[in-house]
Amino acid sequence: MEGKRSHGLSFRFTLIFIAFAVVVLSVSGLATFFSQMSNYKKECETNIRNIGEYLAALMKNEGTDFAKYQEYFLNHYKDLKIDFDFDSFEEARVEFIRAFSEKYPGKSLGIDVNIEDTPEEIQRAYFTYKHEYWLLTFEKAREIFEIPYTYYLVMGDQRARLDTLDDGVDPNYNVFYMIDGERTLDEKKGDNNEKYLYLGDTYYNARDQHEMEWSTWETGRKQNGYQEWDNDWGHTYSYYTPLIINGKKLGLIGTEINVETVNRGILWNTIKEISIIAVIFIAGLIMVLLFIRIRFVQRLYRLERAMSVYSQSKDVAIADEVEGVFPGHDEIDSLGQAFVSMIREVAEHMQKMVRASRQLEVSRKREHEMSELAIKDSLTGIRNKTAYDREVFKIEREIENGEKSFGVAMVDLNFLKKINDNYGHEKGDIAIQTLCRLVCVTFAHSPVFRIGGDEFVVILKNSDYAAVESLVEKFSSEIKAMSYDGTAEMWEAPSAAIGFALYEEKVDHGSYESVFKRADEKMYEHKQQMKAVREDS
């Protein structure tokens, strides 16, 4: 009973509610995911926009000094040597202060002396220090705000006086990475002991593929949204902040965030929200399931138990018990009352059915006895020609269905007429019975039929089919052994010929009769051989 319950109403209701919960939570999850995606993308856009504005504010605070730094860098970046592994600009700053103080003792930069009026080595020291400062500023901004990439671009028309990537492209759509938040080693500068930054990365950014970037530059205004594209950091969102100092456009500050990072954040937020919804939803489902189980399922279980007890015991007293438990207030009670009525109606007819069953059993027994007699050989007790014909019909159907592992063995009693004529039919019957026993013992796993006065047929099956040759040899040996025994009478040691054939598709072509004929021919050949031996002796 408990095994049935595990797959009963409670189990099915649970499966239905689980499926319902999965559908609801899946739909809610998708809705939440897309809602989160919209909100989180806006949040990411705001974040990288704020980073760009923060860096732009730092640059604008330097005013014309930054413009001078940019101008110098564009003119001298090929000759600048900046250490690749620096992690502080203090060393470059100290080097600049030392050189400036030696040249202009007691004077201040920007007050007493302008940087563009200083010798080349002081300018180089100053702008090296400035580049290290700004590079570290961009790198730290990237680390603090946990974004993969920040950079400062000088756009096409600012770079027109410098080398282009290719004579075949429009230099106005070249972009020059002046401050590159991802350091690159210059393989052409320095030696094994010196490592310098590669400066001056320049790329051709076609207008149709970088619309947001060029729109920001051309208008000098921050754009709504960001550019989505693929680069060395994967699939990214890029935002561009224009740098304008004293009314002049100098370049673009680029900030990027990886799409995978965005999607991971969206997915995590979605999982958290769906988890909360799932807990609440599942708790509600559990309460509903408990209510259904207590209010309905348990009552049905009680009715089921009563039915089970009745089906086993057929005790009519169960009707009284059920009638008291299900008074008839709802559909389940109505089902219980219907069960009560059924029990009582069944009880009324049970005695009649028992009597009818007994009479039917007697009739069936008689019918079976008659049927057994119809297919049983009265002399030997084995199946007769009628049973054999039925078996042949069955085999023919099996052949049509692909069952082709069978064979036929023919056994024929020799000298039956001689025994009957010389010793009487009673002795002939003994010879038939003796041979029948030998055939049945030899072919113990196959049906044996007596189809004529002195003819027996064995339908070879099971292990007899596989070992037919050894069984035939054994049978022939037994026949010889009996004939060599001089103490036995002719009817006590009968002589018999045997022949067999196994079904072969290419030979018999679906015909049982073909197998039978081949077995009969083999038996006849054996009979002739036995006759020849007797004549020679």
Side-chain angles (χ1 to χ4, degrees):
M1 178 72 87
E2 294 300 323
K4 291 183 179 179
R5 287 186 184 180
S6 66
H7 294 82
L9 286 176
S10 291
F11 179 75
R12 296 176 186 273
F13 274 125
T14 301
L15 287 182
I16 292 171
F17 279 119
I18 288 175
F20 178 69
V22 169
V23 172
V24 170
L25 292 176
S26 298
V27 172
S28 300
L30 289 173
T32 302
F33 178 79
F34 288 114
S35 174
Q36 284 282 344
M37 179 177 287
S38 176
N39 294 334
Y40 196 71
K41 285 175 71 175
K42 291 178 181 178
E43 182 182 327
C44 291
E45 178 185 345
T46 301
N47 188 31
I48 57 179
R49 177 186 294 177
N50 290 339
I51 297 169
E53 291 177 351
Y54 163 73
L55 292 171
L58 292 179
M59 293 173 169
K60 289 177 181 179
N61 284 339
E62 291 217 346
T64 57
D65 285 346
F66 187 86
K68 292 176 182 180
Y69 153 60
Q70 178 169 317
E71 180 70 18
Y72 182 88
F73 188 87
L74 293 178
N75 290 321
H76 298 88
Y77 73 91
K78 291 184 179 180
D79 302 323
L80 288 175
K81 290 185 177 181
I82 299 176
D83 288 339
F84 179 80
D85 295 322
F86 74 91
D87 55 10
S88 172
F89 59 84
E90 284 301 320
E91 184 177 342
R93 179 173 174 273
V94 169
E95 177 62 25
F96 159 68
I97 293 173
R98 183 195 61 76
F100 184 82
S101 298
E102 289 179 357
K103 181 68 177 177
Y104 304 100
K107 294 184 178 183
S108 300
L109 181 66
I111 298 175
D112 302 311
V113 180
N114 292 321
I115 189 63
E116 62 267 25
D117 297 329
T118 62
E120 175 59 29
E121 61 271 15
I122 293 178
Q123 290 187 41
R124 185 180 299 275
Y126 175 73
F127 289 114
T128 297
Y129 140 63
K130 279 294 183 181
H131 190 74
E132 290 186 0
Y133 166 78
W134 283 113
L135 182 56
L136 285 174
T137 299
F138 271 68
E139 289 180 344
K140 288 180 179 178
R142 183 187 69 183
E143 294 172 4
I144 292 170
F145 293 103
E146 296 180 345
I147 61 175
Y149 198 26
T150 56
Y151 47 89
Y152 176 67
L153 301 176
V154 177
M155 307 302 287
D157 55 352
Q158 299 288 88
R159 289 269 295 124
R161 65 184 182 278
L162 302 175
D163 295 335
T164 61
L165 284 173
D166 191 325
D167 292 338
V169 300
D170 186 351
N172 287 324
Y173 289 109
N174 288 344
V175 294
F176 176 80
Y177 283 74
M178 179 175 160
I179 302 174
D180 192 342
E182 186 73 20
R183 300 187 191 188
T184 303
L185 181 65
D186 192 334
E187 303 289 348
K188 296 180 179 180
K189 293 179 183 179
D191 53 27
N192 294 334
N193 298 320
E194 296 177 324
K195 294 181 180 179
Y196 297 110
L197 281 175
Y198 178 77
L199 305 174
D201 260 341
T202 303
Y203 294 93
Y204 173 70
N205 285 358
R207 175 62 184 262
D208 58 344
Q209 298 176 8
H210 300 269
E211 176 64 31
M212 185 71 68
E213 182 179 30
W214 289 110
S215 295
T216 305
W217 170 247
E218 291 166 358
T219 62
R221 294 191 302 269
K222 292 175 287 188
Q223 303 294 299
N224 293 323
Y226 41 81
Q227 181 169 297
E228 190 172 343
W229 63 304
D230 295 309
N231 54 29
D232 293 341
W233 289 267
H235 198 59
T236 62
Y237 296 134
S238 300
Y239 187 80
Y240 302 100
T241 304
L243 177 63
I244 302 174
I245 297 178
N246 296 330
K248 182 180 179 181
K249 292 187 297 182
L250 297 181
L252 293 180
I253 300 166
T255 50
E256 295 183 1
I257 188 168
N258 192 284
V259 173
E260 181 181 352
T261 303
V262 175
N263 291 341
R264 190 184 301 118
I266 295 171
L267 182 61
W268 175 241
N269 288 337
T270 301
I271 290 173
K272 288 195 293 185
E273 290 194 15
I274 290 300
S275 298
I276 296 172
I277 294 173
V279 170
I280 298 172
F281 189 74
I282 291 172
L285 289 182
I286 291 173
M287 293 179 64
V288 172
L289 282 171
L290 288 175
F291 174 78
I292 292 175
R293 180 178 178 83
I294 294 171
R295 183 68 182 86
F296 301 108
V297 176
Q298 286 187 349
R299 294 169 65 206
L300 289 172
Y301 283 162
R302 294 179 68 179
L303 182 59
E304 180 194 19
R305 284 196 298 270
M307 290 180 175
S308 177
V309 171
Y310 176 74
S311 67
Q312 295 176 15
S313 65
K314 301 300 185 292
D315 186 359
V316 182
I318 293 174
D320 298 330
E321 298 178 10
V322 173
E323 190 173 27
V325 175
F326 298 94
H329 298 308
D330 57 22
E331 288 80 359
I332 297 177
D333 289 342
S334 297
L335 182 62
Q337 292 298 322
F339 176 59
V340 170
S341 299
M342 182 197 70
I343 292 176
R344 288 172 176 166
E345 289 177 4
V346 169
E348 291 176 2
H349 296 288
M350 187 64 70
Q351 291 181 348
K352 294 180 181 179
M353 292 177 63
V354 170
R355 287 194 296 270
S357 177
R358 288 174 180 172
Q359 293 175 356
L360 180 62
E361 184 65 26
V362 171
S363 298
R364 286 178 176 174
K365 185 175 180 180
R366 290 176 180 173
E367 181 182 352
H368 179 72
E369 289 174 352
M370 294 298 293
S371 177
E372 286 293 314
L373 289 174
I375 64 172
K376 189 174 182 179
D377 180 59
S378 59
L379 177 62
T380 61
I382 64 173
R383 282 174 278 188
N384 60 15
K385 182 65 166 58
T386 301
Y388 171 74
D389 292 338
R390 293 180 184 178
E391 185 69 17
V392 169
F393 179 80
K394 177 182 175 184
I395 292 173
E396 288 174 345
R397 299 290 78 77
E398 290 176 349
I399 293 174
E400 292 177 359
N401 294 328
E403 176 56 51
K404 301 173 182 178
S405 298
F406 76 94
V408 175
M410 286 290 299
V411 180
D412 188 80
L413 176 64
N414 296 325
F415 311 125
L416 178 60
K417 186 175 184 304
K418 182 176 181 180
I419 295 173
N420 288 334
D421 292 344
N422 296 333
Y423 303 103
H425 286 277
E426 182 178 340
K427 303 301 182 183
D429 290 344
I430 294 174
I432 292 172
Q433 292 171 337
T434 302
L435 177 62
C436 179
R437 283 194 294 272
L438 178 59
V439 173
C440 291
V441 170
T442 304
F443 300 96
H445 303 96
S446 299
V448 180
F449 305 87
R450 183 186 178 198
I451 62 172
D454 54 2
E455 290 181 329
F456 295 87
V457 175
V458 182
I459 305 297
L460 298 168
K461 294 184 177 181
N462 307 317
S463 59
D464 293 348
Y465 171 82
V468 60
E469 292 185 358
S470 62
L471 293 177
V472 169
E473 291 179 3
K474 177 182 177 182
F475 176 83
S476 298
S477 298
E478 293 287 341
I479 289 294
K480 287 182 180 180
M482 287 191 297
S483 65
Y484 288 148
D485 186 358
T487 62
E489 298 291 345
M490 188 176 185
W491 60 87
E492 294 174 339
S495 172
I498 187 169
F500 75 94
L502 302 181
Y503 178 82
E504 298 180 28
E505 178 64 30
K506 294 182 179 180
V507 175
D508 301 306
H509 305 293
S511 170
Y512 170 85
E513 187 64 24
S514 173
V515 185
F516 177 84
K517 287 181 179 180
R518 290 195 292 114
D520 192 49
E521 290 172 358
K522 292 286 184 66
M523 182 273 294
Y524 184 75
E525 291 176 4
H526 187 206
K527 182 180 285 288
Q528 294 300 110
Q529 292 171 2
M530 295 176 72
K531 182 178 180 181
V533 170
R534 289 196 301 271
E535 290 175 352
D536 290 341
S537 61

